[in-house]
Amino acid sequence: MNMYLKKIIFFSFMFCFISSLFSAYSTLLMSSNLCGGGYSFNNEGTSYGGKLSFNIIPAIKWKENILIPVYSFEYSGVKDVKELVGGGTLVQQYITNMLYLKPVFKLSKTIKLKPKVAFTSQLIKETKNEEWAKGLFDYYKINTSVEIELGLSNVSKLVLVPSVYTVNFYNYKTLASEKSEEEYGKELASVGKDILNFTAAEVSVDYKLNKFVNLNLYTTQKNFVDQYVITETGEYSNEKRNDFMGFLNINFCFPLKTFSEILLSLQYSFNTSNQNHYDVERTKYIDNYYDYNEISFSPHGRFLFGSIPMNLDVVYNVSLRQYVSRLVQDEDGNYGDDKIKILRQYISLVVSFPIIDNLNGFIQQNYILSTSNMKYEQVYRYNYSAYNILVGRSE
């Protein structure tokens, strides 16, 4: 463990400990999760590892207000089956540290105000022999937000959260400079010093209509600090990249009996970007390369078994993503006329059961299948299957 990570953990613990001493009305809350398991990608063998996460919350109450400092830690050595969604990269291990401070002000019986300042740091190892704190996609994020909660009735509630944040991939330029334009495309090679760094303004709205219907709306505007837009001639313009993304999610809850319920989620999401793509090897220009529309459908069943102390959660999700301009390619990279479509199916089964007081065990299985009309996969994976299983305990 490097000195950088040790300092984060040390100062986080000290912050939470000192905060808990400020008032006799403080309450120390802790939770943890420990598990191990295996992961298989495209039936190419199985890798094994463990996961550990915990939260420390020394909440402080004065009058009707609350101060909530939180330290959160997570280590994962088991890959997530959703890692490649969006054309990502397979990660061997990661460590996430998050520290935030959130006071809760009760302004009236129906209005609460919750400002928040947060710092998040993630260290990523893409290969087993890679050193910690030298990962290509290591980043830190600084976020400020204000949560406004309006209690409209006993069961109806509206939560509005505007926020701004910055994300800094501090190692990316050093390693990306070794990659060629033919590998990544011209917009991601040899362009600027901090091409992945961005600032963002975000708004989320959560509206609980009643105990059966819940609406979620989310939008964010991302402005890249040092990534310039590619032109049709393959040159860089003076304009910098900016993306606008969002989604609308509708959740329905159907309580069947006293021992089970069915949750149904419908979602539409989109992304628009002014960034284009120039394939240097094939001298092919594609405008608005990152634009897409996506719809998804997800039923979630939660079941109890009467007198048997056991729960079963079953989640199925199917989504279809349609890129607006991104063209399909065959196995050799030759372009076609159709636009890329990606169909993903995901299923998760979780069995949980009590072990002793405040300690539960669980077994979780996750499977994802992605199919696409895109066959060229030298940079991104579009067609794959992945499976993992986790066994552990939580408190």
Side-chain angles (χ1 to χ4, degrees):
M1 187 179 297
N2 60 75
M3 290 300 298
Y4 172 75
L5 181 58
K6 288 181 178 179
K7 288 180 180 179
I8 291 177
I9 296 175
F10 172 76
F11 285 116
S12 300
F13 271 108
M14 289 300 297
F15 174 78
C16 293
F17 174 73
I18 294 172
S19 298
S20 67
L21 301 178
F22 278 114
S23 171
Y25 298 97
S26 62
T27 302
L28 182 62
L29 304 176
M30 300 184 67
S31 63
S32 66
N33 186 304
L34 176 64
C35 61
Y39 172 92
S40 176
F41 178 75
N42 277 349
N43 299 316
E44 297 174 357
T46 303
S47 61
Y48 301 92
K51 298 185 73 171
L52 168 66
S53 65
F54 60 84
N55 300 288
I56 302 175
I57 310 172
I60 303 168
K61 185 174 182 180
W62 76 98
K63 296 182 180 180
E64 293 187 341
N65 306 311
I66 304 174
L67 177 64
I68 307 176
V70 176
Y71 171 65
S72 176
F73 171 89
E74 181 181 8
Y75 163 79
S76 178
V78 182
K79 298 185 185 72
D80 187 338
V81 298
K82 292 185 177 181
E83 263 182 47
L84 289 176
V85 172
T89 183
L90 287 172
V91 173
Q92 292 285 343
Q93 302 175 70
Y94 67 81
I95 293 175
T96 304
N97 286 276
M98 182 176 67
L99 182 65
Y100 71 81
L101 186 66
K102 183 170 77 171
V104 179
F105 301 104
K106 188 174 182 180
L107 304 182
S108 69
K109 291 183 178 180
T110 59
I111 303 176
K112 291 181 181 179
L113 193 65
K114 306 174 185 179
K116 177 180 174 181
V117 178
F119 174 82
T120 304
S121 172
Q122 187 169 76
L123 307 177
I124 296 174
K125 291 180 68 172
E126 293 183 64
T127 60
K128 292 182 178 180
N129 58 356
E130 189 175 37
E131 296 182 27
W132 286 111
K134 293 186 178 180
L136 182 64
F137 295 103
D138 290 358
Y139 72 90
Y140 67 81
K141 175 181 177 181
I142 300 174
N143 179 75
T144 58
S145 64
V146 178
E147 181 178 323
I148 305 166
E149 180 181 314
L150 304 176
L152 305 178
S153 68
N154 291 334
V155 293
S156 180
K157 182 173 65 174
L158 176 66
V159 179
L160 174 66
V161 186
S163 63
V164 293
Y165 59 91
T166 62
V167 178
N168 189 306
F169 294 87
Y170 46 86
N171 287 334
Y172 187 86
K173 175 57 181 174
T174 302
L175 297 180
S177 61
E178 301 173 3
K179 301 296 183 180
S180 67
E181 294 177 349
E182 286 79 3
E183 288 180 288
Y184 279 179
K186 198 165 185 179
E187 75 274 15
L188 293 182
S190 306
V191 52
K193 182 180 179 182
D194 302 306
I195 64 172
L196 293 187
N197 296 355
F198 64 88
T199 62
E202 179 181 293
V203 177
S204 67
V205 179
D206 186 279
Y207 178 40
K208 184 178 181 182
L209 183 63
N210 50 48
K211 62 181 180 180
F212 304 111
V213 182
N214 191 77
L215 304 176
N216 307 109
L217 176 65
Y218 166 91
T219 61
T220 184
Q221 173 71 47
K222 296 168 61 175
N223 297 308
F224 286 78
V225 175
D226 203 22
Q227 185 179 148
Y228 292 88
V229 174
I230 297 292
T231 66
E232 191 171 358
T233 61
E235 303 298 322
Y236 299 110
S237 70
N238 294 325
E239 184 181 6
K240 293 183 180 179
R241 175 180 173 180
N242 58 79
D243 291 10
F244 182 74
M245 63 177 296
F247 68 76
L248 173 63
N249 190 63
I250 305 176
N251 297 296
F252 302 94
C253 177
F254 305 97
L256 299 181
K257 294 182 180 179
T258 58
F259 60 86
S260 67
E261 66 178 2
I262 298 295
L263 306 174
L264 180 63
S265 176
L266 304 173
Q267 184 177 109
Y268 166 73
S269 60
F270 67 90
N271 186 74
T272 63
S273 174
N274 65 342
Q275 182 59 284
N276 311 308
H277 177 72
Y278 192 86
D279 186 335
V280 178
E281 185 177 1
R282 298 170 184 83
T283 60
K284 182 69 174 180
Y285 170 80
I286 301 175
D287 62 354
N288 304 116
Y289 188 71
Y290 297 92
D291 290 12
Y292 66 79
N293 295 286
E294 182 172 297
I295 55 174
S296 67
F297 167 77
S298 181
H300 175 187
R302 182 172 296 162
F303 305 95
L304 306 177
F305 296 93
S307 60
I308 302 175
M310 182 180 295
N311 300 336
L312 172 64
D313 283 80
V314 182
V315 178
Y316 174 74
N317 178 271
V318 57
S319 65
L320 177 63
R321 176 176 294 189
Q322 171 73 68
Y323 281 93
V324 176
S325 302
R326 192 178 298 192
L327 298 173
V328 299
Q329 295 171 264
D330 63 19
E331 290 84 352
D332 298 321
N334 301 309
Y335 285 93
D337 297 324
D338 295 332
K339 306 300 191 299
I340 295 176
K341 298 178 182 179
I342 305 174
L343 178 67
R344 293 190 183 92
Q345 299 180 77
Y346 167 79
I347 187 168
S348 174
L349 303 175
V350 183
V351 177
S352 56
F353 47 88
I355 300 177
I356 57 176
D357 291 344
N358 299 320
L359 185 64
N360 297 315
F362 67 88
I363 302 173
Q364 180 173 352
Q365 299 182 74
N366 305 298
Y367 176 78
I368 191 169
L369 174 66
S370 176
T371 56
S372 173
N373 57 349
M374 176 64 156
K375 304 305 177 184
Y376 184 71
E377 299 186 309
Q378 298 301 311
V379 179
Y380 298 121
R381 299 299 297 260
Y382 295 88
N383 300 274
Y384 60 88
S385 63
Y387 169 84
N388 72 5
I389 183 170
L390 300 170
V391 179
R393 59 86 172 159
S394 61
E395 60 178 342

